Amino acid sequence: DGGITQSPKYLFRKEGQNVTLSCEQNLNHDAMYWYRQDPGQGLRLIYYSQIVNDFQKGDIAEGYSVSREKKESFPLTVTSAQKNPTAFYLCASLQSGANVLTFGAGSRLTVL
Amino acid sequence: GESVGLHLPTLSVQEGDNSIINCAYSNSASDYFIWYKQESGKGPQFIIDIRSNMDKRQGQRVTVLLNKTVKHLSLQIAATQPGDSAVYFCAEADGGYQKVTFGTGTKLQVIP
């Protein structure tokens, strides 16, 4: 079945450590997105990429980094510069010309 | 800045009744609106969408209404079932899908 796979589902990190969240899609979608979700709040865009080797900052990119070396993969690194990293992170993809995002199941990051 | 918001953060309905979830948007340039359903610990799933040149669109047990005059969007769920319990997000997109803005979400609780 085609879809988006995020890993790990749960991740714990100590303060000062970087952590990388994986996002892989086999939908052959061109665009990929990373959103952050906090309790009781909507989704906020961190980064997005419309083509390989190109990506743009979203609304809350500070403290995060991404790469898009392959069409299928869009990993997100949460760096130690992110002051409040504990959140639920959602990856999504979109086919060119379409308007509906397909989401992964999410990764919950907790900083201890 | 432009934003999408919801009138009711929590909605409780009796099983079998109809549910109406409301959303206000402020970006008059948005031309595409989407409703997503998010169950606990999962990523959002597409429910139904509507373009700005339409007033109403129906799906299976769901109807979306768009009132551009007052910038209001609603999701109607007929014969609400326990499986409908989730958080519902409205989202708006501004042509080309460079960026999608999500509302804060409404939690729907279905009372058996």
Side-chain angles (χ1 to χ4, degrees):
Chain A
D1 289 337
I4 299 179
T5 302
Q6 290 186 239
S7 63
K9 188 170 179 64
Y10 299 97
L11 185 62
F12 297 88
R13 185 194 96 175
K14 293 182 180 180
E15 284 191 17
Q17 290 181 333
N18 292 354
V19 61
T20 297
L21 307 180
S22 170
C23 179
E24 302 280 332
Q25 55 102 357
N26 60 4
L27 300 166
N28 199 34
H29 285 176
D30 297 310
M32 297 186 73
Y33 302 77
W34 274 105
Y35 288 89
R36 170 183 171 137
Q37 185 175 31
D38 293 284
Q41 297 188 30
L43 281 63
R44 291 183 291 169
L45 182 63
I46 304 172
Y47 268 99
Y48 65 101
S49 167
Q50 294 182 296
I51 58 173
V52 174
N53 292 323
D54 186 49
F55 47 83
Q56 288 78 40
K57 293 182 178 180
D59 299 317
I60 55 167
E62 184 176 355
Y64 299 97
S65 65
V66 294
S67 63
R68 187 88 186 276
E69 297 177 0
K70 299 186 299 182
K71 186 176 184 178
E72 301 80 16
S73 179
F74 191 41
L76 173 74
T77 297
V78 185
T79 74
S80 57
Q82 169 51 236
K83 299 306 179 186
N84 186 22
T86 295
F88 189 52
Y89 291 88
L90 286 160
C91 179
S93 69
L94 179 74
Q95 181 59 284
S96 293
N99 290 288
V100 177
L101 291 164
T102 299
F103 284 89
S107 293
R108 186 168 299 279
L109 172 63
T110 302
V111 175
L112 304 173
Chain B
E2 303 285 9
S3 65
V4 174
L6 293 175
H7 296 306
L8 299 173
T10 305
L11 178 65
S12 296
V13 297
Q14 203 73 35
E15 181 179 357
D17 288 350
N18 296 336
S19 302
I20 299 177
I21 301 171
N22 296 303
C23 176
Y25 67 93
S26 58
N27 185 359
S28 57
S30 293
D31 59 4
Y32 188 74
F33 303 89
I34 313 110
W35 280 100
Y36 288 92
K37 173 186 180 182
Q38 185 179 26
E39 297 177 339
S40 181
K42 297 182 180 179
Q45 291 183 304
F46 169 82
I47 302 174
I48 193 168
D49 57 1
I50 189 168
R51 293 197 177 277
S52 60
N53 61 355
M54 301 171 67
D55 297 321
K56 179 180 180 179
R57 191 172 187 203
Q58 288 184 297
Q60 187 177 8
R61 280 201 310 119
V62 295
T63 300
V64 55
L65 299 177
L66 176 63
N67 185 332
K68 294 180 288 293
T69 301
V70 295
K71 296 179 184 174
H72 184 267
L73 191 69
S74 69
L75 176 70
Q76 300 179 1
I77 304 174
T80 311
Q81 303 169 0
D84 294 327
S85 293
V87 176
Y88 291 81
F89 293 95
C90 65
E92 59 179 318
D94 178 2
Y97 206 94
Q98 293 295 323
K99 190 171 74 171
V100 172
T101 302
F102 285 84
T104 55
T106 291
K107 183 176 182 179
L108 177 63
Q109 296 178 322
V110 181
I111 304 167

